Amino acid sequence: MTSTSTPTAASGHAPAPHYPIAIIGGGLSGLLLARVLIAGGVDATVFDLESGPEARGQGGMLDIHEETGQAALRTAGLHAEFRAKVHPGGEAVRVWDKAGTLVHDEPDTGDGDRPEIDRGDLRALLLASLPPHALRWNSKVTGARPLGAGRHEVTLADGTVFTTGLLVGADGAWSRVRPLLTPAEPAYTGISFIEFDLKDADARHPEAAAVIGDGMCFALGDGQGFLAHRETDGSLHLYSALRVPEAWLDAHDFSDTERTRRLLLDAFADWAPHLRALLDGAEDGFVPRRIHALPAGLTWDRVPGVTLLGDAAHLMSPFAGEGANLALADAADLGTALLAHPGDTEAALAAYESVLFPRAADTAAMSAASLDMLFGEDPTRRLVDVFTGAYDPQG
Ligand SMILES: Cc1cc2nc3c(=O)[nH]c(=O)nc-3n(C[C@H](O)[C@H](O)[C@H](O)COP(=O)(O)OP(=O)(O)OC[C@H]3O[C@@H](n4cnc5c(N)ncnc54)[C@H](O)[C@@H]3O)c2cc1C
């Protein structure tokens, strides 16, 4: 049974509470795993460093693919809830070159297999599918150590500890669980994003809304560009992407909105005026973000009682749009494997990892190839060839 007591201080006399299955991280992968297990009659507890479900804006749109993300939502019994939150029109795609020519304009015909959902809506429906006792907020894991026989002791930032029979690292890019399995760490991909939003776009930023259209929009050239989405709340979410050294972000103060705007306008100095003008409307400031990835094809030897899901297992650049889909697929596969092997955790983990490793390797290679395509030579022609089926970035 899941412990219902509060974790006790390491120095206290009471024994540390024990959780049969502890999932570290309440992102998409951790929540979906908990849902599959609990719906299957197996208790699991999710520990997240956030103070609560609304602590952090989720932002961004995700297209959820039939064979991975949607299949996982079916396994979790949540596909109907997902369909109800799909963003109509969100599968539209536009591609501009830096000279300002619209080289591809594909409407959402409503029959695509990659429906878009707001990341916050997806997380909210996963959270709503769980009983409150399955979620432990304010629980930042700082470390974990093996106790033998597949058990682990987990330490939280407030000094409390607990033990678990199965430790699942669903704690994202900078996982605290991953070192139990591999010394691998994320490395900078060479691309940095500076993100910004244009609120109430149709009324307040009609020119930008007309450039971006109803769904996803790319403007690319010379190893940089804009990647943008229309969101369900009528805002536009944009990433200006630059191929810059890792230290470049440290050299600038992005909290100064006007200086950042000038910096970006300089970086896009020879771009078409209507593309540069996308930067004009950013009122709420700019947020810098380096894009990191784990080595493609990362695996580890089986270590009793611990495994990884999602970005913790295979962080990759977002340019194939697969990270969230894989996170959901991993979670469904691990949950299914655990339900199929009651009482034999190691058999379940081996079965899960035999699917995880090759799938993640293929997709990481695809993400790396997509990065080269978007920020390499002749990006708009190659991207349009992908959308028309004439080019396979992995081929
Ligand atoms: C800019 C950008 C755009 C993207 N666009 C797409 C896209 O279009 N399509 C797509 O499929 N994917 C996309 N991705 C990738 C996608 O966001 C991730 O792959 C996905 O969110 C991974 O889910 P996860 O559950 O593994 O990890 P996360 O979503 O990162 O969740 C990890 C959770 O762990 C918690 N946590 C972290 N550390 C600790 C700790 N020490 N203790 C306790 N809790 C902890 C965090 O609070 C968080 O809730 C994008 C990523 C980026 C950066």
Side-chain angles (χ1 to χ4, degrees):
M1 254 198 65
T2 299
S3 169
T4 51
S5 60
T6 306
T8 36
S11 55
H13 297 297
H18 182 75
Y19 296 87
I21 300 179
I23 301 167
I24 312 307
L28 301 179
S29 64
L31 295 177
L32 192 116
L33 173 61
R35 160 69 185 185
V36 171
L37 291 173
I38 291 169
V42 171
D43 250 338
T45 310
V46 178
F47 296 83
D48 199 284
L49 57 78
E50 303 282 357
S51 57
E54 311 294 342
R56 184 168 49 98
Q58 296 295 309
M61 300 298 294
L62 296 171
D63 56 317
I64 302 299
H65 307 165
E66 175 61 37
E67 327 75 54
T68 47
Q70 289 191 55
L73 289 160
R74 282 198 183 87
T75 301
L78 296 172
H79 196 262
E81 287 86 342
F82 158 72
R83 289 291 335 177
K85 293 287 182 184
V86 162
H87 172 207
E91 286 189 79
V93 183
R94 282 188 174 177
V95 182
W96 298 86
D97 66 18
K98 62 175 278 200
T101 305
L102 183 62
V103 294
H104 185 72
D105 188 8
E106 186 179 325
D108 182 349
T109 52
D111 55 4
D113 62 356
R114 299 189 159 206
E116 296 247 341
I117 187 169
D118 188 295
R119 181 192 288 269
D121 286 344
L122 181 55
R123 189 160 185 253
L125 78 83
L126 290 167
L127 283 167
S129 78
L130 293 172
H133 75 260
L135 297 158
R136 298 277 167 141
W137 302 107
N138 284 313
S139 298
K140 179 177 182 175
V141 169
T142 54
R145 67 182 181 100
L147 298 174
R151 287 163 57 96
H152 285 82
E153 180 187 79
V154 179
T155 304
L156 301 181
D158 64 4
T160 59
V161 298
F162 64 84
T163 61
T164 182
L166 172 54
L167 177 61
V168 180
D171 49 343
W174 306 102
S175 171
R176 297 299 183 109
V177 178
R178 190 166 54 226
L180 292 166
L181 291 160
T182 168
E185 289 187 359
Y188 179 57
T189 59
I191 303 296
S192 287
F193 282 176
I194 298 96
E195 297 184 41
F196 58 102
D197 290 294
L198 304 179
K199 300 271 169 58
D200 195 9
D202 289 332
R204 301 186 51 219
H205 308 283
E207 295 87 2
V211 167
I212 288 165
D214 292 335
M216 177 85 196
C217 176
F218 299 83
L220 301 167
D222 295 343
Q224 60 191 59
F226 296 98
L227 286 71
H229 263 114
R230 178 182 279 266
E231 308 265 318
T232 44
D233 66 358
S235 67
L236 304 173
H237 189 69
L238 292 97
Y239 306 99
S240 45
L242 298 171
R243 193 186 273 284
V244 287
E246 188 167 11
W248 185 83
L249 289 190
D250 297 327
H252 301 283
D253 176 8
F254 293 93
S255 68
D256 183 332
T257 299
E258 287 317 312
R259 283 180 66 164
T260 305
R261 197 189 323 276
R262 285 199 299 277
L263 179 74
L264 292 173
L265 285 169
D266 284 349
F268 288 89
D270 58 347
W271 283 55
H274 62 278
L275 298 175
R276 295 179 82 223
L278 294 170
L279 295 159
D280 292 344
E283 300 144 349
D284 295 342
F286 295 92
V287 179
R289 180 199 290 273
R290 292 183 185 87
I291 302 300
H292 288 88
L294 281 164
L298 178 66
T299 63
W300 52 83
D301 293 334
R302 183 87 294 292
V303 174
V306 56
T307 194
L308 303 174
L309 292 181
D311 282 3
H314 45 60
L315 177 71
M316 54 191 74
S317 73
F319 304 115
E322 295 281 357
N325 284 281
L326 284 195
L328 295 168
D330 294 349
D333 287 342
L334 177 56
T336 303
L338 287 166
L339 295 177
H341 295 88
D344 192 350
T345 299
E346 286 313 298
L349 297 188
Y352 159 65
E353 289 174 357
S354 73
V355 175
L356 167 80
F357 292 149
R359 179 173 59 205
D362 285 352
T363 313
M366 193 166 86
S367 289
S370 295
L371 184 153
D372 280 349
M373 175 184 69
L374 296 179
F375 302 104
E377 291 292 311
D378 207 3
T380 51
R381 182 190 58 76
R382 290 162 75 195
L383 182 59
V384 172
D385 284 352
V386 169
F387 288 130
T388 57
Y391 173 69
D392 176 358
Q394 261 189 300

